[in-house]
Amino acid sequence: MQWIEAIILGLVQGLTEFLPVSSSAHLRIVGEFLPGAVDPGAAFTAITQLGTEAAVLVYFWRDIVRILKAWFAALFGRLPHSNPDVRMGWLIIVGTIPIVVLGLLLEDMIESVFRTLWLVATMLIVFAVVLAFADAYGRQRKPLDQLSVRDGIIFGFAQAMALIPGVSRSGGTITAGLLMGYTREAAARYSFLLAIPAVFGSGFYKLYGAIGEQTGPYSLAQTMVATAVGFFIAYVIIGWFLKYVSSHSYTLFVNYRILLGLFVFIMLSLGIINA
């Protein structure tokens, strides 16, 4: 039965990682409705995100290789640092610093206090409202090539808020981007690129600590199966999401977050699930 649970959670991870609905919140919530009724845990979540982030590497492979080549060329003086790809490389590094620092400082809380479902449900609703405001009132004029160091840092702190399940990594960064005037597609694209070093760093850190041990209620083998499932589903979702936001608002995701948050509150109040 645990193998089936792991596959279900991998499916959930792949479906929700790149949508502004919080994959970590979904894993936490869905875990309560599985036969074991347990929290999959922060380690399981971080490791399965390696699969979904690998989908980003495949989907954006040409962009990533181009950025890396340009960045290293600039280090050896073969390209000016004003080159757009060089700047993007530096801005991804700058934007990653907040989540690395806060992730290490708050590691104990991430694995315990932050995972209470009362907080998860609250964050789902609160950040749905913030996303709705940003989507409605953001100017949405700036393309990604206008990204500045200041904006990169703001994006980085927005990404760090996703350390609390319910906020959403993509939701936080996309909301920040909209509030700063970036287009929906530009904010989403940078959100995906910015997540690469943070997710791989966190995932491999947790994977190293899980070797020979259980990753929460699931074995390492079960977790790796969930990771593989997440990869294939996420690859499909990335393409769909980028096309969707190029011509639609985030209303669908806002409404979904609010309904899910209210559902969790009701289930908790009735004692059907445990916080």
Short mmCIF file of all heavy atoms in Angstrom, two decimals, residues 169-232:
data_model
loop_
_atom_site.label_atom_id
_atom_site.label_comp_id
_atom_site.label_asym_id
_atom_site.label_seq_id
_atom_site.Cartn_x
_atom_site.Cartn_y
_atom_site.Cartn_z
N ARG A 169 5.98 28.22 -4.04
CA ARG A 169 7.20 28.80 -4.60
C ARG A 169 6.88 29.63 -5.84
O ARG A 169 7.26 30.80 -5.94
CB ARG A 169 8.19 27.68 -4.95
CG ARG A 169 9.55 28.19 -5.43
CD ARG A 169 10.38 27.03 -5.97
NE ARG A 169 10.39 25.90 -5.05
CZ ARG A 169 11.21 25.80 -4.00
NH1 ARG A 169 12.09 26.75 -3.77
NH2 ARG A 169 11.17 24.75 -3.21
N SER A 170 6.17 29.03 -6.79
CA SER A 170 5.83 29.78 -8.00
C SER A 170 4.84 30.89 -7.69
O SER A 170 4.93 31.98 -8.25
CB SER A 170 5.26 28.84 -9.07
OG SER A 170 4.06 28.24 -8.64
N GLY A 171 3.89 30.61 -6.78
CA GLY A 171 2.91 31.63 -6.41
C GLY A 171 3.54 32.85 -5.79
O GLY A 171 3.19 33.99 -6.12
N GLY A 172 4.50 32.63 -4.90
CA GLY A 172 5.17 33.76 -4.24
C GLY A 172 5.98 34.59 -5.21
O GLY A 172 5.89 35.83 -5.21
N THR A 173 6.77 33.92 -6.06
CA THR A 173 7.62 34.67 -6.99
C THR A 173 6.79 35.33 -8.09
O THR A 173 7.08 36.46 -8.50
CB THR A 173 8.67 33.74 -7.63
OG1 THR A 173 8.03 32.56 -8.12
CG2 THR A 173 9.71 33.34 -6.61
N ILE A 174 5.76 34.64 -8.56
CA ILE A 174 4.90 35.24 -9.59
C ILE A 174 4.16 36.46 -9.04
O ILE A 174 4.06 37.49 -9.71
CB ILE A 174 3.89 34.19 -10.12
CG1 ILE A 174 4.62 33.17 -11.00
CG2 ILE A 174 2.76 34.87 -10.91
CD1 ILE A 174 3.78 31.98 -11.39
N THR A 175 3.67 36.35 -7.81
CA THR A 175 2.99 37.49 -7.18
C THR A 175 3.93 38.68 -7.07
O THR A 175 3.55 39.82 -7.39
CB THR A 175 2.48 37.11 -5.78
OG1 THR A 175 1.52 36.05 -5.90
CG2 THR A 175 1.83 38.29 -5.10
N ALA A 176 5.16 38.43 -6.61
CA ALA A 176 6.14 39.51 -6.51
C ALA A 176 6.41 40.13 -7.88
O ALA A 176 6.50 41.36 -8.01
CB ALA A 176 7.44 38.98 -5.90
N GLY A 177 6.52 39.28 -8.89
CA GLY A 177 6.77 39.78 -10.24
C GLY A 177 5.64 40.66 -10.76
O GLY A 177 5.88 41.72 -11.34
N LEU A 178 4.43 40.23 -10.52
CA LEU A 178 3.28 41.03 -10.97
C LEU A 178 3.24 42.38 -10.25
O LEU A 178 2.95 43.41 -10.86
CB LEU A 178 1.98 40.26 -10.71
CG LEU A 178 1.78 38.98 -11.54
CD1 LEU A 178 0.52 38.25 -11.08
CD2 LEU A 178 1.70 39.30 -13.03
N LEU A 179 3.51 42.36 -8.95
CA LEU A 179 3.50 43.61 -8.18
C LEU A 179 4.59 44.56 -8.65
O LEU A 179 4.45 45.78 -8.53
CB LEU A 179 3.67 43.31 -6.69
CG LEU A 179 2.47 42.64 -6.00
CD1 LEU A 179 2.83 42.25 -4.57
CD2 LEU A 179 1.26 43.58 -5.99
N MET A 180 5.69 44.01 -9.18
CA MET A 180 6.79 44.85 -9.67
C MET A 180 6.58 45.25 -11.14
O MET A 180 7.42 45.93 -11.72
CB MET A 180 8.13 44.14 -9.51
CG MET A 180 8.57 44.01 -8.07
SD MET A 180 10.25 43.33 -7.90
CE MET A 180 10.00 41.62 -8.37
N GLY A 181 5.47 44.81 -11.74
CA GLY A 181 5.15 45.24 -13.09
C GLY A 181 5.55 44.30 -14.20
O GLY A 181 5.42 44.65 -15.39
N TYR A 182 6.02 43.09 -13.89
CA TYR A 182 6.40 42.14 -14.93
C TYR A 182 5.16 41.45 -15.51
O TYR A 182 4.14 41.32 -14.84
CB TYR A 182 7.37 41.09 -14.38
CG TYR A 182 8.73 41.66 -14.09
CD1 TYR A 182 9.04 42.18 -12.83
CD2 TYR A 182 9.71 41.73 -15.08
CE1 TYR A 182 10.27 42.75 -12.56
CE2 TYR A 182 10.96 42.29 -14.82
CZ TYR A 182 11.24 42.80 -13.56
OH TYR A 182 12.46 43.36 -13.30
N THR A 183 5.27 41.01 -16.74
CA THR A 183 4.17 40.30 -17.37
C THR A 183 3.99 38.94 -16.69
O THR A 183 4.89 38.43 -16.03
CB THR A 183 4.42 40.06 -18.87
OG1 THR A 183 5.56 39.20 -19.02
CG2 THR A 183 4.67 41.38 -19.58
N ARG A 184 2.83 38.34 -16.85
CA ARG A 184 2.56 37.04 -16.25
C ARG A 184 3.57 36.00 -16.72
O ARG A 184 4.10 35.22 -15.94
CB ARG A 184 1.14 36.58 -16.60
CG ARG A 184 0.03 37.44 -16.02
CD ARG A 184 -1.32 36.77 -16.26
NE ARG A 184 -2.42 37.61 -15.77
CZ ARG A 184 -3.23 38.30 -16.56
NH1 ARG A 184 -3.09 38.25 -17.86
NH2 ARG A 184 -4.20 39.03 -16.03
N GLU A 185 3.83 35.99 -18.03
CA GLU A 185 4.73 34.98 -18.58
C GLU A 185 6.16 35.21 -18.12
O GLU A 185 6.89 34.26 -17.80
CB GLU A 185 4.67 34.98 -20.10
CG GLU A 185 5.44 33.84 -20.73
CD GLU A 185 5.24 33.75 -22.25
OE1 GLU A 185 4.59 34.65 -22.81
OE2 GLU A 185 5.75 32.79 -22.84
N ALA A 186 6.61 36.48 -18.04
CA ALA A 186 7.96 36.78 -17.59
C ALA A 186 8.15 36.36 -16.13
O ALA A 186 9.18 35.77 -15.77
CB ALA A 186 8.25 38.28 -17.74
N ALA A 187 7.17 36.66 -15.29
CA ALA A 187 7.25 36.30 -13.88
C ALA A 187 7.28 34.78 -13.71
O ALA A 187 8.05 34.26 -12.89
CB ALA A 187 6.06 36.88 -13.12
N ALA A 188 6.48 34.07 -14.50
CA ALA A 188 6.44 32.61 -14.40
C ALA A 188 7.76 32.00 -14.88
O ALA A 188 8.30 31.09 -14.26
CB ALA A 188 5.28 32.07 -15.22
N ARG A 189 8.29 32.51 -15.98
CA ARG A 189 9.54 31.96 -16.52
C ARG A 189 10.69 32.15 -15.54
O ARG A 189 11.49 31.23 -15.31
CB ARG A 189 9.85 32.62 -17.87
CG ARG A 189 11.06 32.05 -18.59
CD ARG A 189 11.16 32.66 -19.98
NE ARG A 189 10.10 32.18 -20.85
CZ ARG A 189 10.21 31.08 -21.63
NH1 ARG A 189 11.32 30.38 -21.62
NH2 ARG A 189 9.22 30.71 -22.40
N TYR A 190 10.83 33.35 -14.98
CA TYR A 190 11.91 33.58 -14.02
C TYR A 190 11.70 32.73 -12.76
O TYR A 190 12.66 32.25 -12.16
CB TYR A 190 11.99 35.06 -13.65
CG TYR A 190 13.13 35.37 -12.70
CD1 TYR A 190 14.45 35.17 -13.07
CD2 TYR A 190 12.88 35.86 -11.42
CE1 TYR A 190 15.49 35.44 -12.21
CE2 TYR A 190 13.92 36.14 -10.55
CZ TYR A 190 15.22 35.93 -10.95
OH TYR A 190 16.26 36.20 -10.08
N SER A 191 10.45 32.54 -12.37
CA SER A 191 10.13 31.71 -11.22
C SER A 191 10.68 30.30 -11.42
O SER A 191 11.28 29.71 -10.51
CB SER A 191 8.62 31.66 -11.00
OG SER A 191 8.28 30.70 -10.03
N PHE A 192 10.50 29.74 -12.62
CA PHE A 192 10.99 28.39 -12.91
C PHE A 192 12.51 28.34 -12.88
O PHE A 192 13.10 27.41 -12.31
CB PHE A 192 10.49 27.93 -14.28
CG PHE A 192 9.00 27.71 -14.35
CD1 PHE A 192 8.36 27.56 -15.56
CD2 PHE A 192 8.22 27.66 -13.19
CE1 PHE A 192 6.99 27.34 -15.64
CE2 PHE A 192 6.85 27.45 -13.25
CZ PHE A 192 6.23 27.30 -14.47
N LEU A 193 13.16 29.32 -13.50
CA LEU A 193 14.62 29.34 -13.53
C LEU A 193 15.21 29.55 -12.13
O LEU A 193 16.20 28.92 -11.76
CB LEU A 193 15.11 30.44 -14.48
CG LEU A 193 14.79 30.24 -15.97
CD1 LEU A 193 15.20 31.47 -16.77
CD2 LEU A 193 15.49 29.00 -16.51
N LEU A 194 14.59 30.44 -11.37
CA LEU A 194 15.09 30.76 -10.03
C LEU A 194 15.01 29.55 -9.10
O LEU A 194 15.82 29.41 -8.19
CB LEU A 194 14.28 31.92 -9.45
CG LEU A 194 14.69 32.44 -8.07
CD1 LEU A 194 16.12 32.98 -8.11
CD2 LEU A 194 13.74 33.54 -7.61
N ALA A 195 14.04 28.69 -9.34
CA ALA A 195 13.84 27.54 -8.45
C ALA A 195 14.92 26.48 -8.62
O ALA A 195 15.14 25.67 -7.71
CB ALA A 195 12.47 26.92 -8.70
N ILE A 196 15.61 26.46 -9.76
CA ILE A 196 16.54 25.36 -10.06
C ILE A 196 17.60 25.17 -8.98
O ILE A 196 17.73 24.08 -8.41
CB ILE A 196 17.17 25.55 -11.45
CG1 ILE A 196 16.10 25.41 -12.53
CG2 ILE A 196 18.30 24.55 -11.68
CD1 ILE A 196 16.59 25.75 -13.93
N PRO A 197 18.45 26.18 -8.67
CA PRO A 197 19.49 25.94 -7.65
C PRO A 197 18.92 25.68 -6.27
O PRO A 197 19.45 24.85 -5.52
CB PRO A 197 20.32 27.23 -7.68
CG PRO A 197 19.44 28.26 -8.31
CD PRO A 197 18.56 27.54 -9.26
N ALA A 198 17.83 26.35 -5.90
CA ALA A 198 17.25 26.19 -4.57
C ALA A 198 16.69 24.78 -4.38
O ALA A 198 16.94 24.12 -3.36
CB ALA A 198 16.14 27.22 -4.34
N VAL A 199 15.94 24.30 -5.36
CA VAL A 199 15.31 22.98 -5.24
C VAL A 199 16.34 21.87 -5.30
O VAL A 199 16.29 20.92 -4.51
CB VAL A 199 14.25 22.79 -6.35
CG1 VAL A 199 13.76 21.35 -6.37
CG2 VAL A 199 13.08 23.74 -6.11
N PHE A 200 17.29 21.98 -6.22
CA PHE A 200 18.32 20.94 -6.30
C PHE A 200 19.20 20.94 -5.05
O PHE A 200 19.57 19.87 -4.55
CB PHE A 200 19.17 21.12 -7.55
CG PHE A 200 18.57 20.50 -8.78
CD1 PHE A 200 18.09 21.28 -9.81
CD2 PHE A 200 18.48 19.12 -8.89
CE1 PHE A 200 17.52 20.70 -10.93
CE2 PHE A 200 17.92 18.53 -10.01
CZ PHE A 200 17.44 19.32 -11.04
N GLY A 201 19.52 22.12 -4.53
CA GLY A 201 20.31 22.18 -3.31
C GLY A 201 19.59 21.54 -2.15
O GLY A 201 20.16 20.70 -1.41
N SER A 202 18.33 21.90 -1.95
CA SER A 202 17.53 21.34 -0.86
C SER A 202 17.31 19.85 -1.05
O SER A 202 17.42 19.06 -0.10
CB SER A 202 16.18 22.08 -0.78
OG SER A 202 15.32 21.46 0.15
N GLY A 203 16.98 19.45 -2.28
CA GLY A 203 16.69 18.04 -2.55
C GLY A 203 17.87 17.13 -2.32
O GLY A 203 17.76 16.09 -1.67
N PHE A 204 19.04 17.52 -2.82
CA PHE A 204 20.23 16.68 -2.65
C PHE A 204 20.70 16.69 -1.19
O PHE A 204 21.24 15.70 -0.70
CB PHE A 204 21.34 17.15 -3.58
CG PHE A 204 21.16 16.69 -5.00
CD1 PHE A 204 21.02 17.62 -6.02
CD2 PHE A 204 21.09 15.34 -5.31
CE1 PHE A 204 20.83 17.20 -7.33
CE2 PHE A 204 20.90 14.91 -6.61
CZ PHE A 204 20.77 15.84 -7.63
N TYR A 205 20.48 17.80 -0.50
CA TYR A 205 20.82 17.88 0.93
C TYR A 205 19.98 16.86 1.71
O TYR A 205 20.49 16.11 2.55
CB TYR A 205 20.56 19.29 1.44
CG TYR A 205 20.73 19.48 2.93
CD1 TYR A 205 21.99 19.47 3.51
CD2 TYR A 205 19.63 19.69 3.76
CE1 TYR A 205 22.16 19.65 4.88
CE2 TYR A 205 19.78 19.86 5.11
CZ TYR A 205 21.04 19.85 5.67
OH TYR A 205 21.18 20.02 7.03
N LYS A 206 18.68 16.82 1.44
CA LYS A 206 17.79 15.87 2.10
C LYS A 206 18.07 14.44 1.64
O LYS A 206 17.98 13.50 2.44
CB LYS A 206 16.33 16.23 1.83
CG LYS A 206 15.89 17.56 2.45
CD LYS A 206 15.91 17.50 3.96
CE LYS A 206 15.35 18.78 4.56
NZ LYS A 206 15.41 18.77 6.05
N LEU A 207 18.39 14.28 0.36
CA LEU A 207 18.68 12.95 -0.17
C LEU A 207 19.92 12.36 0.49
O LEU A 207 19.95 11.17 0.85
CB LEU A 207 18.88 13.03 -1.68
CG LEU A 207 19.17 11.72 -2.42
CD1 LEU A 207 18.02 10.73 -2.23
CD2 LEU A 207 19.42 11.98 -3.91
N TYR A 208 20.94 13.18 0.68
CA TYR A 208 22.17 12.72 1.35
C TYR A 208 21.87 12.25 2.77
O TYR A 208 22.36 11.22 3.22
CB TYR A 208 23.19 13.86 1.38
CG TYR A 208 24.44 13.52 2.16
CD1 TYR A 208 25.43 12.71 1.60
CD2 TYR A 208 24.64 14.02 3.46
CE1 TYR A 208 26.58 12.40 2.32
CE2 TYR A 208 25.77 13.71 4.17
CZ TYR A 208 26.75 12.90 3.61
OH TYR A 208 27.88 12.58 4.32
N GLY A 209 21.02 13.00 3.47
CA GLY A 209 20.68 12.64 4.84
C GLY A 209 19.77 11.43 4.92
O GLY A 209 19.66 10.79 5.97
N ALA A 210 19.11 11.09 3.79
CA ALA A 210 18.14 9.98 3.81
C ALA A 210 18.74 8.65 3.36
O ALA A 210 18.08 7.62 3.44
CB ALA A 210 16.96 10.33 2.90
N ILE A 211 19.98 8.67 2.87
CA ILE A 211 20.59 7.43 2.39
C ILE A 211 20.66 6.41 3.53
O ILE A 211 21.22 6.68 4.60
CB ILE A 211 22.00 7.70 1.83
CG1 ILE A 211 21.89 8.57 0.57
CG2 ILE A 211 22.72 6.39 1.53
CD1 ILE A 211 23.22 8.97 -0.01
N GLY A 212 20.07 5.26 3.29
CA GLY A 212 20.05 4.20 4.30
C GLY A 212 18.97 4.38 5.35
O GLY A 212 18.89 3.59 6.29
N GLU A 213 18.15 5.42 5.22
CA GLU A 213 17.11 5.68 6.20
C GLU A 213 15.76 5.87 5.51
O GLU A 213 15.66 5.91 4.29
CB GLU A 213 17.45 6.94 7.01
CG GLU A 213 18.76 6.86 7.77
CD GLU A 213 19.05 8.15 8.51
OE1 GLU A 213 18.17 9.03 8.52
OE2 GLU A 213 20.15 8.29 9.06
N GLN A 214 14.72 6.01 6.31
CA GLN A 214 13.39 6.32 5.80
C GLN A 214 13.28 7.83 5.55
O GLN A 214 13.79 8.62 6.32
CB GLN A 214 12.31 5.92 6.81
CG GLN A 214 12.13 4.42 6.98
CD GLN A 214 11.13 3.84 6.00
OE1 GLN A 214 11.48 3.03 5.16
NE2 GLN A 214 9.89 4.27 6.09
N THR A 215 12.62 8.22 4.46
CA THR A 215 12.32 9.64 4.25
C THR A 215 10.90 9.86 4.77
O THR A 215 9.94 9.84 4.01
CB THR A 215 12.41 10.00 2.75
OG1 THR A 215 11.64 9.07 2.00
CG2 THR A 215 13.84 9.96 2.28
N GLY A 216 10.78 10.02 6.07
CA GLY A 216 9.47 10.11 6.68
C GLY A 216 8.86 8.72 6.70
O GLY A 216 9.53 7.73 7.00
N PRO A 217 7.59 8.60 6.34
CA PRO A 217 6.93 7.29 6.38
C PRO A 217 7.26 6.40 5.19
O PRO A 217 6.83 5.24 5.13
CB PRO A 217 5.44 7.66 6.37
CG PRO A 217 5.40 8.95 5.64
CD PRO A 217 6.65 9.68 6.01
N TYR A 218 8.03 6.91 4.23
CA TYR A 218 8.32 6.15 3.02
C TYR A 218 9.81 5.83 2.89
O TYR A 218 10.66 6.63 3.30
CB TYR A 218 7.84 6.92 1.79
CG TYR A 218 6.37 7.25 1.86
CD1 TYR A 218 5.94 8.53 2.20
CD2 TYR A 218 5.41 6.27 1.64
CE1 TYR A 218 4.59 8.83 2.31
CE2 TYR A 218 4.05 6.56 1.74
CZ TYR A 218 3.65 7.83 2.07
OH TYR A 218 2.31 8.11 2.19
N SER A 219 10.09 4.66 2.31
CA SER A 219 11.49 4.27 2.11
C SER A 219 12.10 5.13 1.01
O SER A 219 11.38 5.79 0.24
CB SER A 219 11.57 2.79 1.71
OG SER A 219 11.02 2.60 0.41
N LEU A 220 13.42 5.09 0.91
CA LEU A 220 14.09 5.86 -0.12
C LEU A 220 13.67 5.37 -1.51
O LEU A 220 13.48 6.18 -2.43
CB LEU A 220 15.61 5.76 0.04
CG LEU A 220 16.45 6.59 -0.93
CD1 LEU A 220 16.08 8.06 -0.84
CD2 LEU A 220 17.94 6.39 -0.64
N ALA A 221 13.48 4.06 -1.67
CA ALA A 221 13.06 3.51 -2.96
C ALA A 221 11.67 4.02 -3.34
O ALA A 221 11.42 4.40 -4.50
CB ALA A 221 13.06 1.99 -2.91
N GLN A 222 10.76 4.05 -2.38
CA GLN A 222 9.40 4.55 -2.64
C GLN A 222 9.43 6.03 -2.98
O GLN A 222 8.70 6.50 -3.86
CB GLN A 222 8.53 4.30 -1.42
CG GLN A 222 8.23 2.83 -1.18
CD GLN A 222 7.70 2.54 0.20
OE1 GLN A 222 7.81 3.37 1.12
NE2 GLN A 222 7.14 1.35 0.39
N THR A 223 10.29 6.76 -2.29
CA THR A 223 10.42 8.20 -2.56
C THR A 223 10.97 8.44 -3.96
O THR A 223 10.53 9.37 -4.65
CB THR A 223 11.35 8.85 -1.51
OG1 THR A 223 10.82 8.62 -0.21
CG2 THR A 223 11.47 10.35 -1.75
N MET A 224 11.91 7.61 -4.41
CA MET A 224 12.48 7.78 -5.73
C MET A 224 11.46 7.47 -6.82
O MET A 224 11.45 8.09 -7.89
CB MET A 224 13.72 6.90 -5.90
CG MET A 224 14.87 7.28 -4.95
SD MET A 224 15.24 9.06 -4.93
CE MET A 224 15.83 9.32 -6.60
N VAL A 225 10.58 6.50 -6.58
CA VAL A 225 9.50 6.20 -7.53
C VAL A 225 8.58 7.42 -7.64
O VAL A 225 8.18 7.82 -8.74
CB VAL A 225 8.70 4.96 -7.10
CG1 VAL A 225 7.41 4.82 -7.92
CG2 VAL A 225 9.55 3.71 -7.26
N ALA A 226 8.23 8.02 -6.49
CA ALA A 226 7.40 9.22 -6.49
C ALA A 226 8.09 10.35 -7.25
O ALA A 226 7.44 11.12 -7.97
CB ALA A 226 7.11 9.66 -5.05
N THR A 227 9.40 10.44 -7.11
CA THR A 227 10.18 11.47 -7.80
C THR A 227 10.11 11.29 -9.31
O THR A 227 9.96 12.26 -10.06
CB THR A 227 11.65 11.41 -7.33
OG1 THR A 227 11.71 11.59 -5.91
CG2 THR A 227 12.48 12.48 -8.01
N ALA A 228 10.20 10.04 -9.76
CA ALA A 228 10.13 9.76 -11.20
C ALA A 228 8.75 10.09 -11.76
O ALA A 228 8.62 10.68 -12.85
CB ALA A 228 10.46 8.29 -11.45
N VAL A 229 7.71 9.73 -11.03
CA VAL A 229 6.35 10.06 -11.46
C VAL A 229 6.18 11.57 -11.57
O VAL A 229 5.62 12.08 -12.55
CB VAL A 229 5.32 9.47 -10.47
CG1 VAL A 229 3.91 9.98 -10.80
CG2 VAL A 229 5.35 7.95 -10.50
N GLY A 230 6.69 12.29 -10.57
CA GLY A 230 6.59 13.74 -10.57
C GLY A 230 7.26 14.37 -11.77
O GLY A 230 6.76 15.36 -12.34
N PHE A 231 8.39 13.80 -12.21
CA PHE A 231 9.12 14.33 -13.36
C PHE A 231 8.26 14.34 -14.62
O PHE A 231 8.13 15.36 -15.31
CB PHE A 231 10.39 13.51 -13.61
CG PHE A 231 11.02 13.76 -14.95
CD1 PHE A 231 11.83 14.87 -15.15
CD2 PHE A 231 10.79 12.91 -16.03
CE1 PHE A 231 12.41 15.12 -16.39
CE2 PHE A 231 11.36 13.15 -17.26
CZ PHE A 231 12.17 14.26 -17.45
N PHE A 232 7.67 13.21 -14.94
CA PHE A 232 6.90 13.09 -16.19
C PHE A 232 5.65 13.97 -16.18
O PHE A 232 5.33 14.61 -17.19
CB PHE A 232 6.51 11.62 -16.42
CG PHE A 232 7.68 10.75 -16.78
CD1 PHE A 232 8.19 9.84 -15.88
CD2 PHE A 232 8.31 10.87 -18.02
CE1 PHE A 232 9.28 9.05 -16.20
CE2 PHE A 232 9.40 10.09 -18.35
CZ PHE A 232 9.89 9.17 -17.44
#
